[in-house]
Amino acid sequence: MGDTGPVLKPCGRLLALCDCNNFFVSCERLFRPDLEGRPVVVLSSNDGVIISRSNEVKALGIKMGEPYFKVRAFLERQGTMVFSSNFQLYEEVSARVMAALRRVTPSMEVYSVDEAFLELPPSVELSPLEWGKDVRSMLFRETGIPVSVGIAPAKTAAKLAADRAKKHPETGGAFALLPGETWDDFLLDVPVEDVWGIGRRWSDFLRRRGISTAIRFRDAGNDWVEKHLGVRGLRTKWELAGIRCFPVEEQEKPQKSIQSSRSFASPVRSREGLAEAVTEFALVAGRRLRTQQSLAGSLSVSISTSRFRMPFYGRRAEVVLDPPTDSDIHIIRAAVESLSSIYLDGHDYEKAEVGLGCLSSARRPQLLLFPQREGRGSALSRAADRLNREAGRPLLLPAVLLGEKAWRPRKDRHSGFRLEDLEKLPVISGEGI
């Protein structure tokens, strides 16, 4: 394995990854402090698989993504509290966490609903660990959400540091990999598959060649890594040496495509039932499209029966949206028409998906030789977004979506909490104690 390549110097500036601990569970515990110390899980849409676990559940050996039906009896014997997912609550809490973090950093990238990369202010780089612990305390005080803070010169190393802070209580919830210090002992204990950006395919490939730890990957030759893992893999290797290759990106990059899909709570046989589901998925995709200020130039619809029951039937249709649009009226009409072209009577459909592609910026719409009137539908959709957001519920939606729908995901254990409900909780006074 050769080691030719550019001479790069470790970065002296520090950044931090703030990672909310067991985020969905922590959000539910905001309203149920009696659940502290008790095993808690949150289930996916349709109550299918486990998507968030408290530390107590992790200690029981339950894996992320475990099908709930397989472990239900075991969890019940352990006294586990089970919640259906409440994504509206999680998004509200996430927005509060990110707003608090923005006050303590000159630059921040929201990486996911429960993670953010922060540049450390120059004034605190002489005491980064103290800063990290102060940020943890501030967030818990203001939001009630526990976080782990990993500090390093590069994103990949900061992710590993945050993971160490989360899994080792003796760190106090913050851990730093600092420039000028040796990271060898730390990287020696990190399996290569735990390195951010090294997926299962790459980790299997590396392990077959004797590269089983982060330190062995860091010390592999530049030419060899670039040949087999590409530029992305080479940059990941450099980041393990403290060389920052992935910058903090304040501007969120718009998605190149948008999908909205779901497995049904019960099979759908009728064309009308499928049209209802496709309409709802089109609404969700349209809202995401407008949130990132994009227009869609193509739309696809796919439907399928269960792959475990024969005969299997699955079809996909795609149409061009000309001109590109973000109007719910046009998106829903195209989705329902596409569905009609692939629907076949006599099947029990278990899943549908609506996809939007060929996305372009709504700020710089393409000039058309023969302009068409798109403004009214777009403006109406944005007005509906605003009213629904202010109401905190779907106040305006197509009439076909009103009422109970058998195909909608099961939410048998939905807490029903919203962030505004915190103001309704009783306050315990310390007077007289």
Side-chain angles (χ1 to χ4, degrees):
M1 300 180 188
D3 198 19
T4 61
V7 177
L8 300 173
K9 295 182 179 180
C11 180
R13 295 293 307 278
L14 294 173
L15 56 80
L17 174 70
C18 290
D19 185 1
C20 299
N21 299 343
N22 314 324
F23 183 55
F24 296 167
V25 166
S26 296
C27 291
E28 298 292 351
R29 279 176 167 170
L30 287 175
F31 300 89
R32 293 286 305 276
D34 60 300
L35 297 178
E36 194 64 41
R38 180 177 167 184
V40 181
V41 298
V42 175
L43 305 179
S44 64
S45 297
N46 230 6
D47 291 351
V49 301
I50 294 172
I51 59 173
S52 185
R53 307 159 294 160
S54 67
N55 290 336
E56 295 78 15
V57 172
K58 295 176 184 178
L60 294 173
I62 302 299
K63 304 297 184 183
M64 181 72 82
E66 190 85 55
Y68 179 56
F69 77 91
K70 289 186 176 182
V71 296
R72 177 175 180 172
F74 173 75
L75 291 177
E76 287 176 348
R77 290 196 298 270
Q78 304 300 320
T80 306
M81 186 67 185
V82 181
F83 289 97
S84 299
S85 52
N86 184 353
F87 292 116
Q88 182 174 355
L89 170 65
Y90 310 151
E91 290 175 2
E92 291 172 346
V93 176
S94 174
R96 178 171 289 192
V97 169
M98 300 307 169
L101 287 176
R102 284 191 176 91
R103 301 202 311 267
V104 300
T105 178
S107 178
M108 183 176 103
E109 174 186 340
V110 177
Y111 181 66
S112 68
V113 70
D114 61 347
E115 294 177 285
F117 288 103
L118 288 71
E119 294 276 7
L120 267 67
S123 60
V124 305
E125 291 199 351
L126 294 178
S127 54
L129 271 178
E130 287 77 5
W131 177 85
K133 292 177 180 179
D134 288 344
V135 169
R136 288 189 76 248
S137 299
M138 177 273 293
L139 281 176
F140 191 75
R141 183 174 62 252
E142 295 190 10
T143 69
I145 299 297
V147 302
S148 300
V149 180
I151 299 170
K155 283 183 173 181
T156 304
K159 288 276 285 186
L160 293 177
D163 190 57
R164 171 64 65 91
K166 180 177 293 188
K167 294 179 179 178
H168 294 264
E170 67 273 13
T171 64
F175 185 78
L177 294 169
L178 301 177
E181 298 181 357
T182 178
W183 300 358
D184 291 10
D185 290 343
F186 172 81
L187 296 178
L188 188 63
D189 293 334
V190 177
V192 69
E193 59 267 21
D194 287 354
V195 175
W196 183 46
I198 301 295
R200 176 175 295 181
R201 182 171 62 87
W202 277 4
S203 64
D204 289 346
F205 172 82
L206 292 170
R207 281 186 171 275
R208 288 196 299 269
R209 285 152 181 81
I211 301 176
S212 58
T213 62
I215 192 169
R216 299 202 68 176
F217 179 61
R218 183 201 67 184
D219 294 341
N222 290 337
D223 290 346
W224 185 88
V225 171
E226 184 174 13
K227 176 182 177 181
H228 294 286
L229 276 67
V231 174
R232 175 85 187 190
L234 181 61
R235 289 173 177 170
T236 298
K237 165 189 146 55
W238 284 340
E239 288 229 328
L240 293 176
I243 299 165
R244 189 183 301 185
C245 300
F246 305 119
V248 172
E249 299 178 351
E250 293 186 82
Q251 289 291 105
E252 186 176 352
K253 290 184 177 180
Q255 295 176 267
K256 296 181 179 180
S257 63
I258 294 173
Q259 285 78 36
S260 176
S261 66
R262 194 170 297 150
S263 297
F264 303 135
S266 58
V268 177
R269 200 170 184 85
S270 69
R271 185 197 303 262
E272 292 74 18
L274 273 180
E276 291 171 354
V278 165
T279 296
E280 182 161 292
F281 300 164
L283 274 178
V284 172
R287 185 173 67 249
R288 293 175 183 168
L289 183 73
R290 292 185 293 277
T291 297
Q292 70 173 40
Q293 300 187 56
S294 295
L295 303 174
S298 68
L299 176 142
S300 64
V301 172
S302 61
I303 53 176
S304 61
T305 61
S306 172
R307 294 187 179 274
F308 302 102
R309 296 191 184 96
M310 294 296 139
F312 170 77
Y313 179 80
R315 290 291 185 272
R316 180 178 183 273
E318 183 170 2
V319 296
V320 174
L321 299 175
D322 187 20
T325 183
D326 63 358
S327 163
D328 281 339
I329 296 173
H330 292 82
I331 291 171
I332 291 172
R333 182 183 299 142
V336 173
E337 290 175 354
S338 297
L339 169 67
S340 297
S341 70
I342 57 177
Y343 171 80
L344 187 63
D345 197 14
H347 289 288
D348 290 327
Y349 294 96
E350 296 209 354
K351 186 175 182 180
E353 177 181 283
V354 173
L356 299 177
C358 299
L359 305 189
S360 58
S361 173
R363 298 174 181 174
R364 297 186 300 274
Q366 182 180 358
L367 295 178
L368 301 173
L369 183 60
F370 302 104
Q372 302 181 37
R373 294 180 61 83
E374 276 286 310
R376 182 171 297 179
S378 177
L380 181 61
S381 300
R382 293 180 184 280
D385 289 343
R386 185 177 63 255
L387 289 172
N388 292 338
R389 185 169 56 249
E390 292 173 353
R393 59 188 178 88
L395 191 65
L396 293 179
L397 73 168
V400 296
L401 298 180
L402 296 175
E404 296 296 324
K405 305 296 180 184
W407 48 264
R408 281 192 173 126
R410 287 187 292 270
K411 294 285 186 179
D412 299 335
R413 301 170 179 83
H414 197 285
S415 64
F417 290 128
R418 291 193 56 210
L419 196 57
E420 63 184 21
D421 295 332
L422 282 173
E423 299 176 1
K424 303 174 185 177
L425 296 178
V427 177
I428 301 175
S429 172
E431 296 180 4
I433 298 177

